[in-house]
Amino acid sequence: MSKYYLNYLDELESEAIFILREVWAQFENPVILFSGGKDSILVTHLAKKAFYPSKIPFPLMHVDTGHNFPETIEFRDDLIESLGAKLIVGSVQESIDNGRVAEEKGKNATRNALQITTLLDAIEANKVDCAIGGGRRDEEKARAKERFFSHRNDFGEWDPKNQRPELWNLLNGKHYEGEHFRAFPISNWTEMDVWNYIKRENISIPSLYFAHEREVVFRNNSWIPVSEYLKLEKGEKIEKKKIRFRTLGDITITGGIESDADTLDKIADEVSTMRKTERGDRSDDKRSETAMEDRKKQGYF
Amino acid sequence: MEINNNQLLRFTTAGSVDDGKSTLIGRLLFDSKSIFEDQLESVTNTSAKKGHDGVDLALFTDGLKDEREQGITIDVAYRYFTTPKRKFIIADTPGHIQYTRNMVTGASTANAALILIDARHGVIEQTKRHSFIASLLNIPHLIVCINKMDLVDFSEERYNEIIGQFEEFSSKLLVKDVRFVPMSALLGDNVVNRSQNMGWYGGGTLLSILETLHISSDINKIDARFPVQTVLRPQSNDHRDYRGYAGRVASGIYRKGDEIAVLPSGFTSRIKSINAGENEIDEAFAPMSIAITLEDDIDVSRGDMIVKRNNQPEGEQEFDVMLCWLNNDAAKPRAKYTVMHASNEQRAMIKDIIYKIDINTYNRNTEDKALSMNDIARVRIRTTHRLMLDSYRDNRNTGSIILIDENTNETVAAGMII
C-alpha cells in the first residue's frame, strides 16, 4: 500500500465496483443476471463489496432453462439466502407451455436460443432497465467490442454499429422507456484473472468446477454429462471419467474436460497452461463461425 | 500464471490495415503465447481457405461478420494478454480518417499509444493525425513502431531518416515520453523477440518496452479529487447511523482524519473512516473504489466532490474545452445538451466555436463554425450550474467531459478542459 499503485487484480476489482455503483446510480430497476456460473458469482461477490455495509440493493435474475445441473440450482438458492437478496426466475419451460417459443427438434436440440425470449419477457415483466451480466470481452470475438454500458433497443437487440462511444470513466446510461441496457462490470477480466481472483478472495463456486467422477459421453470433442435429456447416438457409450467443467451452461450442451484439478490452486494452474479458450467446449458457439454475434444481435447476453 | 504485484497497462494502437497493425497485434499475441489452440485452428483454416501461405496473423484480431466480409475493422475492439510482468489491455482502433472518433475513444484511458509507420513510406499525414490525437488525449507514453523494416533491407539509415521526419513535426506536440522501435511484425523482428537482422539497434523489443514503462506516475497523486457516485445508507440495526459516500478516487490520496471540503456547497469536515469493501483502511488513492464517512452530518449526494480543504478545483459555469465531435449529426448552435463530468450532470449549451483545428497541419480555422463527425475544435461551454473543473493536462479524470444529445440520448462529443 505504501507504493500508491494497484496491482492488476485490485485495479480490475476497483473498476468493476465503480461500474456496479454507476448502474445503481443511473438506473431505476437494475438486476444481476445470475446463471450460477463463476462469472455471475464473481459479479455478485463484487456487488456485495460495492454496497457494503448495505445489502445488494437490487435483485438477482435467473433465466432457468429447466436443463440446469441440479448442483447449480442448489448453489443459487444457498447464495441468495446468505445474501438476503431477492431472486427473480424467468422460466423457459413456462415460455414453452405458454406457446411463446417452441422446443428445438433434432439431434443437437438445446434450449439455448429459447432463453432469449424468456430473458426479454422477464426484463419486460419486471420493468428492468439494466441487466448486469458477467460477460467478458476475451470470451469470444463478438464480445471484444462490447461496452460497459451496452444499449439495447426496445426489441432487446444489440447493434454493433450503434453502440455509444465510452470515454474515460464517463458512462452514458440515458434511454427511453422500453429500451434497456446490459452492463458488464468484468468486461476487462480474462478467464485467468477470474480464477486468480476467486482464489485470492476464496469465493465459493459450484462443485462442478472441480474435478469429480461423473458419467459422461464423448461427443463433439468433449465429455457431455449424462442426464435425463441426453439421447445416446449410435456408437456412443456411457463412461465414468474424472472431469471438471470450465463453464456452466445447460447440462445438454456443456462439455467437461478430463482433469485432476480438485482445488482452486490446481484449477488456476491448469487454466494457465490450457491451450484452449474456455468457450471452445460449448457446442452452442460452434454452430457457425458467427454464432455468438448472431445471438447477441437477437438479445442474448 | 502467478503475477505478483504486476500492474495493468492499457495501450491503444493506431494505424491502418496497410501498416500491418493487425499483423502486429497478432504477432504480440502469438509470440507471447496468448493464442489458444482453438483460435489457432480457426485462423489456420480461414488462412487456408483464403489461399494465404501459412498463418495470417491479422486474422486473430478479426471481429464481426461485416468486417470479415469487407476486410476492415470498425470501432474499438479490446484484446488481452498477460506476461509474467504485466497484464495488458489493447484498445485496437481503426486508422481511417473517418474513425477519429474511435481513436479518441480508445486513447482516452490509455497509458501508451503505439503509432505504426510503414518504413517504405515514412511519416505520412495519417502519422501526424494519430500523433496529434495521442497528444491531445494526453497519453503519457508514445511508442513509434517503424514496421516492415524487412522491405527496406533492415536499413539503419532509413530508420534514422524516419525518426528525423517524426521529430520534425512532433516538436509541436505535448508528449512527454517518445520511443522508437524498428520492427517487422510479419517476421517477428523486435516485437517479442530480438531481431537477428538489426544488430545495429541497441534498444528493447516492443514487448520489453511495454513491460517496463513507468506507469505509476500516470495518475495524478497530488490533487485529491473524490466524485461521489452514490450514498450508502444501510437499513440494518448494526449500521443504523452509517452514511457512506461511495465512489472511486479520481486522483490524489485520502487519509483518515484529513480535513476535507464538499463541493459545490463548501461545507467542511474531517474523514472519519475509509472502507474498501468490508475492510476499513487508513488511506486510499486513485483509482481505488471506496466508501468514506465524515465526522459531521452534512448533506452530500451524487455529483458532489470531496476534496482537501487546502487544494480545491475551480467552480466554473463557463469554460473552454477542446471538443471532438463523435456523432453523425452536426452540432447545433445554441442547442441544449447534457454534460457529464465526473459523477455530475448538468444541462449545457455550446456558446461559441472559437476555432477548428486541421489535424494534419495543426492550423486553426476561426472562420468555419460548423462541427461535424470527427471535427476537433476549441469551444466555449456554458452550464446551468457550476462544475468542479481541473484542466485536462493536470487531471484526465476531472478534466474530461462528454456531451449527450437530449433528444437521441447519444454521446455526441468528448471534451478536454483547457
Side-chain angles (χ1 to χ4, degrees):
Chain A
M1 285 295 266
S2 58
K3 295 188 295 285
Y4 298 118
Y5 69 81
L6 295 179
N7 80 22
Y8 78 106
L9 276 182
D10 289 325
E11 187 162 338
L12 290 172
E13 174 190 80
S14 157
E15 177 180 82
I17 289 173
F18 170 80
I19 286 154
L20 285 158
R21 288 167 168 177
E22 206 55 23
V23 169
W24 173 236
Q26 289 196 38
F27 293 90
E28 296 288 320
N29 285 314
V31 295
I32 291 177
L33 291 176
F34 187 82
S35 68
K38 67 179 189 329
D39 296 324
S40 59
I41 291 167
L42 170 62
V43 170
T44 307
H45 176 88
L46 291 161
K48 203 170 127 184
K49 283 196 182 203
F51 301 103
Y52 178 86
S54 298
K55 290 196 167 108
I56 299 176
F58 38 77
L60 276 62
M61 189 158 103
H62 181 217
V63 176
D64 183 354
T65 58
H67 288 176
N68 284 294
F69 286 93
E71 291 95 328
T72 307
I73 299 294
E74 200 179 317
F75 184 92
R76 175 194 82 185
D77 294 341
D78 290 350
L79 182 67
I80 292 290
E81 195 178 342
S82 74
L83 291 171
K86 185 179 162 216
L87 176 72
I88 299 170
V89 178
S91 154
V92 172
Q93 190 60 51
E94 255 172 54
S95 304
I96 294 171
D97 298 345
N98 300 339
R100 293 277 294 134
V101 291
E103 193 87 79
E104 277 190 9
K105 302 225 173 8
K107 172 181 156 191
N108 291 322
T110 84
R111 289 186 163 186
N112 206 296
L114 309 188
Q115 291 182 82
I116 299 173
T117 303
T118 308
L119 171 67
L120 295 177
D121 286 357
I123 282 174
E124 201 171 333
N126 293 283
K127 295 198 164 51
V128 171
D129 54 0
C130 183
I132 302 161
R136 308 191 325 261
R137 291 174 182 148
D138 81 318
E139 280 180 279
E140 213 279 341
K141 57 191 167 211
R143 281 188 173 166
K145 308 195 168 206
E146 192 51 279
R147 304 290 193 267
F148 288 124
F149 275 19
S150 172
H151 179 260
R152 304 296 157 113
N153 65 15
D154 46 8
F155 296 99
E157 292 164 336
W158 174 78
D159 174 1
K161 288 189 180 149
N162 189 26
Q163 293 299 313
R164 297 169 184 176
E166 279 180 353
L167 299 102
W168 302 293
N169 301 316
L170 299 166
L171 299 170
N172 168 6
K174 296 195 183 304
H175 58 283
Y176 284 112
E177 186 90 19
E179 298 178 341
H180 76 277
F181 271 75
R182 304 286 167 85
F184 300 107
I186 59 168
S187 287
N188 283 330
W189 300 48
T190 61
E191 186 186 14
M192 197 66 244
D193 299 334
V194 171
W195 284 114
N196 281 333
Y197 186 80
I198 286 174
K199 199 170 85 173
R200 186 183 91 173
E201 303 277 306
N202 203 9
I203 300 171
S204 21
I205 49 173
S207 55
L208 299 157
Y209 284 110
F210 299 97
H212 56 292
E213 287 270 320
R214 200 179 189 102
E215 290 194 323
V216 285
V217 168
F218 196 68
R219 182 183 290 179
N220 295 340
N221 274 333
S222 63
W223 295 100
I224 301 284
V226 171
S227 70
E228 56 185 295
Y229 315 107
L230 184 86
K231 294 191 179 56
L232 281 190
E233 303 284 324
K234 213 172 155 172
E236 286 180 339
K237 62 176 194 300
I238 294 176
E239 301 176 54
K240 249 199 150 74
K241 289 273 171 196
K242 194 168 184 189
I243 59 151
R244 68 176 196 86
F245 297 96
R246 291 178 72 192
T247 68
L248 297 187
D250 272 16
I251 200 161
T252 56
I253 54 164
T254 304
I257 52 168
E258 280 193 82
S259 165
D260 282 321
D262 51 9
T263 65
L264 282 177
D265 276 325
K266 287 184 192 168
I267 293 175
D269 285 346
E270 190 180 80
V271 171
S272 71
T273 55
M274 274 283 184
R275 302 312 312 149
K276 251 172 123 176
T277 59
E278 72 193 294
R279 292 189 77 96
D281 301 317
R282 289 273 284 263
S283 59
D284 47 332
D285 291 342
K286 287 187 181 164
R287 287 185 170 190
S288 82
E289 217 200 326
T290 54
M292 171 74 108
E293 186 186 338
D294 297 339
R295 280 179 295 140
K296 260 182 83 103
K297 282 182 180 169
Q298 294 162 21
Y300 185 72
F301 321 131
Chain B
M1 194 179 317
E2 273 298 343
I3 326 173
N4 288 328
N5 239 350
N6 97 344
Q7 288 167 288
L8 174 58
L9 183 138
R10 301 167 199 251
F11 68 94
T12 176
T13 54
S16 70
V17 181
D18 318 331
D19 303 326
K21 180 170 62 95
S22 304
T23 306
L24 173 62
I25 296 173
R27 174 61 66 189
L28 262 177
L29 299 177
F30 190 72
D31 283 6
S32 66
K33 315 254 182 306
S34 312
I35 301 283
F36 292 99
E37 270 171 28
D38 46 337
Q39 288 171 310
L40 184 58
E41 197 183 323
S42 137
V43 163
T44 311
N45 292 340
T46 313
S47 303
K49 268 188 220 157
K50 290 191 169 177
H52 294 299
D53 304 337
V55 176
D56 180 356
L57 290 171
L59 293 172
F60 287 122
T61 58
D62 240 17
L64 305 172
K65 215 193 271 185
D66 309 347
E67 295 168 34
R68 280 198 302 282
E69 281 159 9
Q70 298 160 31
I72 54 157
T73 11
I74 38 176
D75 218 312
V76 187
Y78 295 89
R79 330 240 169 238
Y80 302 84
F81 70 102
T82 304
T83 69
K85 294 203 174 69
R86 269 186 183 158
K87 172 184 167 86
F88 296 96
I89 302 180
I90 311 176
D92 179 12
T93 62
H96 309 292
I97 184 154
Q98 63 270 41
Y99 294 122
T100 300
R101 131 191 173 140
N102 295 329
M103 189 177 160
V104 167
T105 305
S108 69
T109 53
N111 303 92
L114 268 49
I115 305 273
L116 256 85
I117 294 181
D118 182 327
R120 292 169 304 173
H121 307 147
V123 168
I124 54 173
E125 292 222 321
Q126 182 179 261
T127 317
K128 296 181 184 176
R129 271 205 302 277
H130 293 158
S131 308
F132 175 73
I133 291 172
S135 147
L136 186 74
L137 274 278
N138 209 15
I139 299 180
H141 313 275
L142 208 56
I143 304 174
V144 182
C145 302
I146 300 175
N147 191 24
K148 303 195 184 183
M149 287 297 292
D150 50 310
L151 302 179
V152 294
D153 297 330
F154 300 106
S155 155
E156 183 180 8
E157 198 184 341
R158 179 61 181 151
Y159 170 69
N160 287 329
E161 193 181 353
I162 294 169
I163 292 180
Q165 291 174 353
F166 190 90
E167 287 183 332
E168 200 174 316
F169 84 87
S170 67
S171 58
K172 295 180 199 153
L173 301 175
L174 297 158
V175 184
K176 300 179 195 85
D177 176 24
V178 186
R179 322 278 178 104
F180 298 91
V181 186
M183 63 176 62
S184 164
L186 187 69
L187 304 176
D189 289 50
N190 286 341
V191 179
V192 171
N193 303 315
R194 286 206 71 79
S195 168
Q196 302 301 311
N197 298 305
M198 290 180 274
W200 47 261
Y201 171 68
T205 62
L206 173 61
L207 184 65
S208 69
I209 292 172
L210 287 168
E211 283 179 329
T212 53
L213 280 177
H214 173 73
I215 54 172
S216 306
S217 312
D218 290 356
I219 295 185
N220 176 329
K221 295 286 188 331
I222 310 296
D223 308 305
R225 304 287 186 257
F226 182 76
V228 176
Q229 268 184 287
T230 184
V231 182
L232 302 173
R233 301 213 52 193
Q235 307 300 318
S236 67
N237 291 336
D238 322 351
H239 304 281
R240 189 149 293 284
D241 299 323
Y242 183 91
R243 279 175 69 100
Y245 305 114
R248 181 154 60 158
V249 181
S251 59
I253 301 166
Y254 287 83
R255 293 183 183 89
K256 214 169 144 166
D258 276 348
E259 308 222 328
I260 59 92
V262 178
L263 300 177
S265 68
F267 288 128
T268 56
S269 182
R270 242 194 258 274
I271 294 181
K272 182 170 153 188
S273 74
I274 304 174
N275 259 69
E278 295 92 343
N279 306 320
E280 197 168 321
I281 53 178
D282 291 334
E283 63 174 6
F285 52 89
M288 288 169 72
S289 281
I290 54 170
I292 289 179
T293 63
L294 301 177
E295 295 285 0
D296 306 278
D297 196 7
I298 49 182
D299 184 27
V300 182
S301 53
R302 176 174 169 86
D304 289 349
M305 199 181 279
I306 298 176
V307 300
K308 300 283 178 71
R309 221 176 281 187
N310 57 6
N311 174 341
Q312 304 195 12
E314 298 292 322
E316 311 264 6
Q317 249 182 290
E318 198 164 297
F319 50 93
D320 283 9
V321 294
M322 286 304 269
L323 198 70
C324 176
W325 199 258
L326 311 170
N327 200 265
N328 280 319
D329 299 335
K332 296 181 274 296
R334 305 196 69 81
K336 303 286 188 299
Y337 295 98
T338 300
V339 63
M340 281 184 95
H341 167 260
S343 58
N344 199 340
E345 256 179 56
Q346 302 283 346
R347 295 190 76 200
M349 171 174 84
I350 299 174
K351 263 191 84 169
D352 187 19
I353 293 167
I354 301 158
Y355 56 78
K356 262 168 71 167
I357 288 199
D358 179 326
I359 61 173
N360 297 317
T361 60
Y362 312 149
N363 287 338
R364 296 173 180 188
N365 179 336
T366 51
E367 305 301 307
D368 182 356
K369 298 284 183 185
L371 262 188
S372 44
M373 172 76 100
N374 296 315
D375 280 346
I376 294 176
R378 179 172 180 146
V379 304
R380 185 151 303 152
I381 287 189
R382 187 171 172 80
T383 52
T384 43
H385 300 280
R386 282 182 304 156
L387 292 175
M388 305 302 136
L389 303 177
D390 288 298
S391 91
Y392 186 79
R393 287 272 147 218
D394 295 335
N395 203 324
R396 260 169 142 184
N397 289 328
T398 52
S400 49
I401 60 163
I402 55 171
L403 296 184
I404 298 166
D405 184 309
E406 292 191 339
N407 296 320
T408 63
N409 290 326
E410 285 172 6
T411 302
V412 293
M416 288 143 281
I417 291 147
I418 294 168

